[in-house]
Amino acid sequence: MRNQHQQHAGESHFSDELHGVNQLLEDLWGSPNRSHQLGTLDRQTGKFRNIPVNGVADAVRHTLALSDAGKEAYFACAEYLTPNTREAANVSGAWGFWMDIDCGEEKAAAGKVYATVLDAEIAVRGFCEYVGLPKPTHIVYTGGGLHVYWVLDRVVDRAIWQACAAKLKRLTKAHGLLVDDSRTADIASVLRMPGTRNYKYEPPRPVLLRHASAEFIAQSAMLDAIDGAHNRLCSAAATTDRKSVV
C-alpha cells in the first residue's frame, strides 16, 4: 500500500504539461522493481515501436523528445516483469483501470462517440453513479477525447486485473457507455502521455492531464464495486436472455 498525495483530502489539482507527465506516471507506475514501457508511432512511415524505460524520469525524457520530433508518444499503463516485451504475458500487474473515450461531431451524429469532452465526462459520471463505481481519479484530454483512470492504493495482479477488467467491459456495454472496448480490458494497453501532442490532427492538439485526484481508490473497494455491479446488472441480464430463449 502506498501513501496518498500530500494534498488536502478531496482536493483536486489542474496541472501544467510537464507536471502532468510526471504525475500520471508516478501514480500508475508505483512499483520500484518493475519494468515499464513506452510506445511511439511515426505517422509518416506508419511504424510503431515499443521502448523500455528506466523509471519515470527516463520516460519523460523520451516522451517529450518524441513529441518534439513530431511522433506520437504513448505509455504502457501496466508494469512488466522484464523489459523484453510489452505483451500481456509479461505484465506483472497494474495500479488501476482505464477507459479510452473518443469524441467528435461527425462520429457522434452516427451514435458512435460523444460530441464533446463535456458530453463524455457527463456520461462517465452517469455510468459511475448507475453502476456504483468510485469516481475516476485521473482524466486526460487527448485532443480527440478522454482517457479516464481509476488509480488504486494497491497493485492488482495480472490475472485478477484481467478478470475484473472483462467485467468492467461488460458493464460499459450493458450501460451503453461509448468507449473503445479494446482498451478497457487490455492490460498491455498504451495510452497517450500528457504533455505531448496528438498528431492525428492539423494543427496537432495538446494532450493534457485535466484532473488528478488527491487520493487513490482502495483496491478492495474498486474490485468489490466491479464484481457487485457485474453480478447485479450483467448476470441478471444474461439470466433474462436465457429465459427468453427457452
Side-chain angles (χ1 to χ4, degrees):
M1 186 172 179
R2 56 184 174 183
N3 294 328
Q4 304 292 352
H5 297 309
Q6 297 303 309
Q7 293 178 265
H8 297 296
E11 180 184 349
S12 300
H13 64 265
F14 298 90
S15 51
D16 59 26
E17 292 187 10
L18 183 57
H19 180 68
V21 182
N22 284 277
Q23 183 72 72
L24 189 58
L25 291 187
E26 288 171 356
D27 290 350
L28 281 168
W29 293 358
S31 301
N33 300 315
R34 293 302 184 193
S35 295
H36 302 96
Q37 297 268 349
L38 301 179
T40 182
L41 172 66
D42 186 328
R43 291 201 172 273
Q44 292 186 344
T45 64
K47 183 178 180 181
F48 185 95
R49 65 188 177 97
N50 297 306
I51 305 171
V53 290
N54 297 314
V56 172
D58 190 32
V60 170
R61 184 169 59 253
H62 274 87
T63 294
L64 298 183
L66 289 166
S67 188
D68 287 346
K71 296 179 174 59
E72 306 283 12
Y74 310 92
F75 75 99
C77 304
E79 298 184 315
Y80 291 81
L81 296 168
T82 75
N84 299 335
T85 176
R86 194 173 58 82
E87 294 179 357
N90 189 38
V91 170
S92 59
W95 286 88
F97 294 87
W98 47 82
M99 291 182 188
D100 179 6
I101 304 176
D102 290 334
C103 300
E105 297 285 351
E106 186 174 338
K107 289 184 178 180
K112 296 180 179 179
V113 303
Y114 299 101
T116 68
V117 290
L118 178 59
D119 292 334
E121 288 188 85
I122 292 171
V124 170
R125 191 179 309 125
F127 170 75
C128 291
E129 290 174 355
Y130 179 77
V131 170
L133 293 184
K135 295 178 182 178
T137 57
H138 297 63
I139 297 175
V140 173
Y141 284 10
T142 66
L146 301 178
H147 289 163
V148 181
Y149 299 86
W150 290 261
V151 180
L152 311 178
D153 66 345
R154 295 177 185 269
V155 69
V156 182
D157 290 342
R158 181 182 68 216
I160 295 173
W161 189 97
Q162 289 173 320
C164 288
K167 293 178 180 179
L168 184 59
K169 178 178 176 178
R170 287 193 285 271
L171 283 167
T172 64
K173 288 182 175 293
H175 182 71
L177 186 66
L178 302 177
V179 301
D180 179 354
D181 283 331
S182 63
R183 299 279 69 80
T184 305
D186 179 12
I187 199 168
S189 287
V190 291
L191 294 178
R192 290 189 179 274
M193 189 84 96
T196 65
R197 296 290 182 270
N198 184 336
Y199 289 99
K200 287 173 65 175
Y201 304 95
E202 184 58 45
R205 299 175 182 176
V207 180
L208 302 171
L209 179 62
R210 175 59 174 151
H211 169 75
S213 175
E215 297 183 347
F216 302 118
I217 298 166
Q219 185 213 74
S220 58
M222 185 68 180
L223 300 188
D224 288 348
I226 293 172
D227 194 52
H230 185 268
N231 290 339
R232 229 175 30 251
L233 302 172
C234 297
S235 299
T239 300
T240 301
D241 290 343
R242 286 195 297 269
K243 286 181 178 178
S244 65
V245 173
V246 175

